Amino acid sequence: MAKSHCLIVLSGATQGIDACCFIQCFKVLHPVFNIQLASPNGKTPEYRCSDESSKRWITEFKGKPYSAPVRLESVDASRYVALLIPDGYGALNDLFNNVHLQSLVNHFFTNKKPICAIGSGVAALCGFSASRNIPWNFSGFSLTSTPVAELAKLPEFGSLPLIVEDFIKQNGGVYNASTPGSPHIIIDRFVITGQNEASTVTAVQNLILLCNLSKNRRSTSS
């Protein structure tokens, strides 16, 4: 049976992507889905590695033909059954309020397709609100993301362009987090959010489960 397609949206900003989070996402999803990477303007992501094992994996991965992201602007959302945005502070810069990404998110939201965002990757969901003078899509949803208590440890905390926790609370979402560094995910309808890199595997496994449930419902209804 042919695999379904999953879209992973990556930041192209210099602040980068959490390599450990991305590696875990890819390892869990690759046996199940055909994965397509996408980034703003097809920019090569900056993978932020904290250990030698991750560095080696990323180096090997970059040699694969599927490692190059396509332009986010050219993505046809209807081809994909799931959307994933990994953790990484770059998302606060070039995915937050990205017009093309918000169009994709709106498609997934309208069609109730499974969405998973982890840590600062939840910034990708923070669009279509005050800037368009309409309610935020995820108003009323229970969500998590990297909490202020974790972000406050960053040297650049004072210059972050977005605090996702504050955005969620100010735009009608229900925010919840566990203790800093602890794995914590929230599933609300078709949306899965993870607090941090430690939440990655659990969040992505539940994304697969949601996709399977959606597929079974479509089969039953037809």
Side-chain angles (χ1 to χ4, degrees):
M1 183 179 294
K3 294 180 182 178
S4 298
H5 297 270
C6 175
L7 179 66
I8 300 181
V9 176
L10 305 174
S11 167
T14 56
Q15 292 82 1
I17 301 160
D18 185 304
C20 291
C21 179
F22 174 76
I23 291 169
Q24 292 174 77
C25 289
F26 194 89
K27 285 182 174 180
V28 175
L29 291 176
H30 190 246
V32 181
F33 295 106
N34 287 318
I35 296 175
Q36 178 64 67
L37 306 183
S39 65
N41 295 311
K43 191 171 181 180
T44 301
E46 294 283 344
Y47 295 101
R48 300 298 179 187
C49 302
S50 57
D51 60 87
E52 290 302 318
S53 177
S54 296
K55 289 178 182 178
R56 286 193 300 270
W57 193 95
I58 291 295
T59 298
E60 293 177 7
F61 176 74
K62 287 180 177 179
K64 308 292 185 181
Y66 46 73
S67 66
V70 300
R71 287 169 51 86
L72 183 62
E73 297 78 4
S74 66
V75 169
D76 178 3
S78 66
R79 295 186 60 230
Y80 302 95
V81 300
L83 172 65
L84 171 67
I85 307 98
D87 190 16
Y89 297 123
L92 302 174
N93 294 270
D94 66 346
L95 299 186
F96 167 55
N97 265 344
N98 180 294
V99 173
H100 301 286
L101 176 56
Q102 294 313 319
S103 178
L104 291 174
V105 170
N106 196 43
H107 168 86
F108 275 81
F109 180 87
T110 301
N111 292 280
K112 296 181 171 57
K113 293 182 180 181
I115 299 170
C116 180
I118 302 167
S120 293
V122 181
L125 308 183
C126 299
F128 285 141
S129 57
S131 61
R132 293 172 180 258
N133 199 31
I134 59 175
W136 183 38
N137 277 345
F138 301 98
S139 176
F141 277 70
S142 294
L143 305 162
T144 189
S145 67
T146 310
V148 172
E150 289 186 39
L151 292 174
K153 300 175 183 178
L154 298 173
E156 63 272 29
F157 174 69
S159 60
L160 292 176
L162 173 72
I163 304 297
V164 178
E165 177 181 339
D166 292 346
F167 182 97
I168 292 170
K169 293 175 179 177
Q170 293 165 5
N171 287 275
V174 180
Y175 181 84
N176 182 269
S178 184
T179 54
S182 299
H184 177 66
I185 73 163
I186 294 177
I187 305 172
D188 191 342
R189 287 159 273 188
F190 51 92
V191 179
I192 303 166
T193 48
Q195 179 171 322
N196 46 31
E197 182 268 325
S199 311
T200 302
V201 171
T202 305
V204 176
Q205 288 173 336
N206 278 277
L207 177 64
I208 295 171
L209 290 174
L210 275 187
C211 289
N212 289 337
L213 285 173
S214 298
K215 184 177 180 180
N216 291 337
R217 286 170 185 159
R218 289 195 301 271
S219 299
T220 303
S221 61
S222 61

